[in-house]
Amino acid sequence: MIIIGAGAAGLSAALEFAKNGIKSILVSDMPSERAQSVMAEGGINAALNTESDSSELHAKETMKAGRYIADPRAVSQMTAAAPEIIEKLFSDGMAFTLDEEKRPDVRAFGGQSVKRTFFAAADTGKQLMHVLIGQVRRYEAEGIIERRTGWTFLKLLHDSEQAYGCVLLHPITQEKMTCYGKVLIASGGLNGMFGNATGSVRNTGAVSANLFASGVKFANGEFIQYHPTTVKLHGKNMLITEAVRGEGGRLYVLENNKPVYFMEEKYPELGNLMPRDVVAREEWLQMKQGKQVYLDMSHLGKEIYEKRLKGVIDDCIRFLALDPRKEPIPVLPGIHYFMGGIWVDADHRTSMKNLYAAGECACQYHGANRLGGNSLLGALYGGSVAAKSAMEDEDIMEPPSPLVSDREAKEQTAGSYVENWQALQDIMKNGLAIIRSEETLQTALADLDKLTEKVKKEYDTTATEAENQALADCCLLGKALLLGALERKESRGAHTRSDYPAEREEYQKQTIAEFTGGKIQIYFQKAGEQK
């Protein structure tokens, strides 16, 4: 078994294989300690320890936040498994923040009617990964899990029927390695294609893009979650966790030098804890009027600062030279999560045999908008399910000879990978901003077509083979995302069209993008169905 990615989803899959005595190769360009999962701050959802909650209610609110285009069977299975996941993490020694009874405590998160988000102060991802990494190391010592750290995915080996393995590249030595077997993708989101994201820019989207170029289906690419509270910092955005609002933080703008709490005025029931897509759009409307949005947590109190939000305080002081106990944090929406990704069914099988996907790189669970606290849950649960599916499926057939051939070599002139990549980021940011329209999407598509033609003619000899290939593949995937947004003529969840402001019943379906016959096809289908 070959696992691409060593964050929460990848480690979960590796552990599932190992517990069943199945060997796996765990491939990542960076150690697990630097995976994006470490950056997750807020918590993990589960309906546990409360009479007013249930896994059914958790599923219902997940579907509602996702505007009813997620697969209800998959969502119900995930929420039903959530309590056991929390209990196991606790028994394995995860350092959850505890309540008075020395049990894992819960906090409020946006879009949920009850408190069901379990957390470890503002370092939930770090504590989770600490537990998973420790468990994986034991199996590494036994030789069941083999680490390939420092290697990058170059391309998938496949024919028209199934995947056979992949080619890896070491970016320093330029050594290539061919691995044969079933492939499980856990490579994270598309942060690098946009640049204004809170996640790691090491998650370039190159793996997903190569699979799409190889004919693997993609779903719901237009649904991009903008987190309402981020701060622009050094080429990416720094996240201010939703936990601040869950603990009572308030958003406001100044009018006549007086604070106006716009979320509380417009949405009195949930106020600052409305779903992220709603909050981000309301902030965008305020910013269009030239107003700066602020997040105020100066009134929360010493116990919350020291026990529940210490990481936020430390990060603001260290990176922003700002003490949020004394002054508000100037915030703006930033890309935080990609609900869409590689199409998978409820068992995490992709559209290609012997290929599986889990975590943020896959499309499952979140529909049009992710419920806060469901990302780590989806990664842990999804990685385990994907591994079980891979073990259940028949062994791969003998690879044909030859395997997939390299792309046709063409005469290419010198080019700049960095400049072209930045151009791609600008096009994607402009085309898939918080508010879209046919005009902005058509402009982005025209600009991307020009860039794609330029990239085809150029090759940067100072960049690696993987980087040059990734640029071409990401241009193709970027076009699929823009076309999906253009074809979805409605506003739903994180996809807002100024020219189609209403949600329309005929679009209560997944957006499917497929690269076949040299062309991108876009169509819609009900979750759980296949064309």
Side-chain angles (χ1 to χ4, degrees):
M1 304 292 182
I2 307 159
I3 304 169
I4 306 299
L11 296 186
S12 177
L15 288 169
E16 190 65 46
F17 287 136
K19 291 169 188 174
N20 287 275
I22 304 296
K23 291 185 177 182
S24 64
I25 300 173
L26 192 56
V27 181
S28 60
D29 65 341
M30 301 292 286
S32 289
E33 287 82 355
R34 292 193 62 185
Q36 180 170 310
S37 299
V38 175
M39 302 165 66
E41 298 178 342
I44 312 174
N45 289 335
L48 184 70
N49 291 347
T50 128
E51 295 179 359
S52 60
D53 202 6
S54 66
S55 61
E56 291 79 12
L57 180 59
H58 183 184
K60 181 180 178 181
E61 293 184 346
T62 297
M63 291 296 297
K64 181 180 179 181
R67 301 314 305 148
Y68 307 105
I69 66 166
D71 185 339
R73 178 169 78 92
V75 169
S76 294
Q77 290 172 345
M78 178 187 72
T79 59
E84 185 178 346
I85 289 172
I86 295 296
E87 290 285 14
K88 186 172 188 317
L89 287 172
F90 186 46
S91 66
D92 288 342
M94 182 165 165
F96 284 110
T97 297
L98 305 180
D99 60 19
E100 294 178 354
E101 298 178 0
K102 305 301 180 183
R103 293 281 302 165
D105 202 0
V106 288
R107 64 171 34 137
F109 247 44
Q112 305 190 98
S113 61
V114 296
K115 292 182 179 181
R116 70 164 66 92
T117 305
F118 293 83
F119 63 101
D123 300 309
T124 307
K126 187 182 296 183
Q127 297 299 330
L128 169 66
M129 291 295 287
H130 177 75
V131 171
L132 297 179
I133 290 167
Q135 293 175 341
V136 165
R137 281 179 179 156
R138 177 165 67 87
Y139 289 111
E140 286 182 65
E142 296 174 3
I144 298 177
I145 296 175
E146 177 186 346
R147 284 269 190 177
R148 285 289 176 177
T149 305
W151 292 78
T152 59
F153 176 97
L154 182 62
K155 63 183 177 182
L156 184 71
L157 297 175
H158 67 96
D159 62 13
S160 60
E161 295 291 326
Q162 59 187 327
Y164 295 104
C166 59
V167 178
L168 309 178
L169 175 71
H170 197 289
I172 297 177
T173 65
Q174 294 298 294
E175 178 186 357
K176 290 182 182 179
M177 177 190 302
T178 300
C179 300
Y180 296 104
K182 295 176 182 177
V183 182
L184 195 158
I185 305 296
S187 55
L190 311 177
N191 304 320
M193 286 177 60
F194 291 78
N196 61 331
T198 60
S200 171
V201 293
R202 303 289 302 188
N203 289 12
T204 61
V207 179
S208 295
N210 179 261
L211 299 187
F212 180 70
S214 300
V216 177
K217 293 180 183 178
F218 213 80
N220 298 338
E222 68 270 31
F223 295 112
I224 300 172
Q225 185 172 86
Y226 281 79
H227 198 288
T229 53
T230 77
V231 181
K232 188 73 176 172
L233 185 70
H234 308 315
K236 66 185 294 292
N237 287 29
M238 183 177 112
L239 174 68
I240 307 296
T241 173
E242 187 171 305
V244 174
R245 288 177 286 130
E247 299 292 351
R250 306 173 74 187
L251 293 166
Y252 73 87
V253 293
L254 290 174
E255 290 184 6
N256 299 319
N257 292 320
K258 293 182 179 180
V260 175
Y261 299 96
F262 56 95
M263 288 303 300
E264 297 168 37
E265 290 184 2
K266 191 167 183 178
Y267 304 97
E269 184 177 352
L270 288 177
N272 299 290
L273 286 176
M274 287 292 290
R276 292 173 180 178
D277 61 316
V278 177
V279 182
R281 280 197 298 273
E282 293 296 337
E283 288 183 337
W284 184 84
L285 292 172
Q286 296 291 336
M287 293 165 62
K288 286 283 284 183
Q289 300 175 44
K291 299 173 184 176
Q292 171 65 58
V293 178
Y294 294 95
L295 176 62
D296 182 21
M297 57 182 290
S298 61
H299 56 288
L300 296 184
K302 185 177 180 180
E303 182 177 354
I304 290 177
Y305 295 147
E306 294 182 353
K307 294 184 178 181
R308 303 163 82 91
L309 296 175
K310 187 177 185 301
V312 178
I313 304 293
D314 292 345
D315 286 347
C316 287
I317 292 173
R318 182 180 297 117
F319 298 113
L320 305 179
L322 179 155
D323 187 344
R325 294 169 297 186
K326 301 175 182 177
E327 55 186 315
I329 309 168
V331 295
L332 77 164
I335 289 175
H336 182 56
Y337 194 88
F338 295 86
M339 274 74 71
I342 301 163
W343 180 89
V344 294
D345 65 13
D347 300 310
H348 285 264
R349 295 177 174 93
T350 73
S351 60
M352 184 178 287
K353 188 178 178 182
N354 301 324
L355 181 67
Y356 312 84
E360 192 176 356
C361 70
C363 74
Q364 200 56 274
Y365 307 119
H366 311 302
N369 186 44
R370 177 175 66 82
L371 198 64
N374 270 356
S375 58
L376 288 178
L377 173 61
L380 287 171
Y381 175 73
S384 174
V385 171
K388 290 174 182 176
S389 294
M391 289 186 287
E392 290 172 3
D393 291 347
E394 295 178 1
D395 290 337
I396 61 175
M397 292 164 42
E398 191 69 24
S401 182
L403 291 165
V404 64
S405 60
D406 288 330
R407 298 179 189 187
E408 182 183 353
K410 295 180 180 179
E411 291 260 344
Q412 291 178 306
T413 59
S416 171
Y417 165 81
V418 172
E419 288 182 6
N420 288 336
W421 191 266
Q422 289 176 340
L424 173 62
Q425 289 179 332
D426 290 340
I427 291 168
M428 299 308 296
K429 280 186 286 193
N430 293 333
L432 293 174
I434 293 177
I435 308 292
R436 300 103 185 239
S437 68
E438 179 158 358
E439 181 181 358
T440 59
L441 289 166
Q442 291 286 14
T443 298
L445 282 165
D447 291 342
L448 186 55
D449 283 343
K450 292 176 184 176
L451 177 63
T452 300
E453 290 304 310
K454 183 172 183 284
V455 167
K456 286 179 180 178
K457 299 173 183 176
E458 296 181 351
Y459 191 92
D460 188 345
T461 56
T462 66
T464 66
E465 178 184 351
E467 287 172 329
N468 279 287
Q469 177 181 295
L471 181 59
D473 289 343
C474 286
C475 284
L476 180 67
L477 179 58
K479 183 171 184 177
L481 303 188
L482 291 167
L483 286 172
L486 184 65
E487 291 301 313
R488 182 172 286 277
K489 294 177 172 55
E490 66 160 354
S491 292
R492 181 182 297 271
H495 172 68
T496 302
R497 291 276 301 259
S498 59
D499 46 354
Y500 294 98
E503 193 172 281
R504 299 169 64 184
E505 186 177 352
E506 61 263 41
Y507 288 103
Q508 193 174 311
K509 299 176 180 179
Q510 292 181 329
T511 311
I512 306 297
E514 187 174 7
F515 185 61
T516 178
K519 295 182 179 180
I520 297 171
Q521 293 186 359
I522 303 292
Y523 56 92
F524 298 93
Q525 69 181 28
K526 283 280 188 183
E529 296 178 355
Q530 293 193 48
K531 185 177 178 181

